[in-house]
Amino acid sequence: MKYAGLGDEPKRIKAAHGNPDDFRVIQQFTSEAAARAWVKRMLNQGYESDTTGKGWKYGYTYSVRR
């Protein structure tokens, strides 16, 4: 599964998910509105929402293999 989320501490979020190889900070945001719009676009592209991050400064993606 592919996930997209927002957070202020991407290193902590990456570690919390077991340091996935494909964890990427995709974008840094200057407004919460822009960040929320990015998440909405990612969800429309088939990503699942990851809500473990607190804040909205960075948009990140990763996947989990079963």
Side-chain angles (χ1 to χ4, degrees):
M1 298 197 98
K2 301 183 303 182
Y3 292 91
L6 299 170
D8 291 349
E9 301 177 66
K11 289 180 183 177
R12 183 192 60 76
I13 296 165
K14 180 179 180 182
H17 290 294
N19 295 306
D21 291 336
D22 65 346
F23 186 97
R24 300 282 181 270
V25 173
I26 303 299
Q27 193 166 345
Q28 184 174 359
F29 299 100
T30 56
S31 76
E32 186 173 0
R36 301 281 173 213
W38 176 82
V39 168
K40 189 172 186 178
R41 285 193 307 273
M42 298 305 284
L43 297 180
N44 287 337
Q45 292 178 28
Y47 283 79
E48 298 292 323
S49 179
D50 176 63
T51 59
T52 58
K54 298 209 185 305
W56 51 263
K57 291 196 187 314
Y58 299 97
Y60 59 87
T61 63
Y62 67 95
S63 61
V64 174
R65 292 166 185 78
R66 295 179 186 228

